[in-house]
Amino acid sequence: MTQTEIIARLQSIFDDVFLDPPTLHPALTAKEVDEWDSLLHISLLLAVEKEFAIRFRVGEVEATSNIGEFADLIEVRSTEK
């Protein structure tokens, strides 16, 4: 799966989780989205884990700085199955 394909799948998750979903692009950061708080972050991570049938390790999501890096992490986790 490419980063572009992963971001497209993420967009549908963001559309479901956010009341006013942002348009995703690789450089987008959480700080740029007013609605993205810690509670919403947890909901988002659970939805992503379910959608991609993956589990994140402690601290690795926080190490990503934007949607592109998050998509890359999803790709790594997906290939480890």
Side-chain angles (χ1 to χ4, degrees), residues 18 33-42:
F18 286 81
V33 182
D34 291 335
E35 189 181 346
W36 197 334
D37 61 13
S38 58
L39 224 64
L40 196 111
H41 187 75
I42 292 167

Side-chain angles (χ1 to χ4, degrees), residues 17-36:
V17 173
F18 286 81
L19 293 175
D20 185 19
T23 300
L24 300 185
H25 56 85
L28 182 71
T29 66
K31 291 179 182 178
E32 297 174 71
V33 182
D34 291 335
E35 189 181 346
W36 197 334

Side-chain angles (χ1 to χ4, degrees), residues 6 57 60 71-81:
I6 292 170
R57 296 183 182 133
E60 68 183 351
D72 292 342
L73 174 60
I74 292 168
E75 182 180 12
V76 167
R77 287 286 150 260
S78 295
T79 59
E80 291 179 347
K81 293 188 216 178

Side-chain angles (χ1 to χ4, degrees), residues 41-56:
H41 187 75
I42 292 167
S43 297
L44 182 61
L45 292 180
L46 291 172
V48 169
E49 286 183 335
K50 184 177 180 181
E51 169 70 20
F52 290 92
I54 59 174
R55 296 291 301 206
F56 294 113

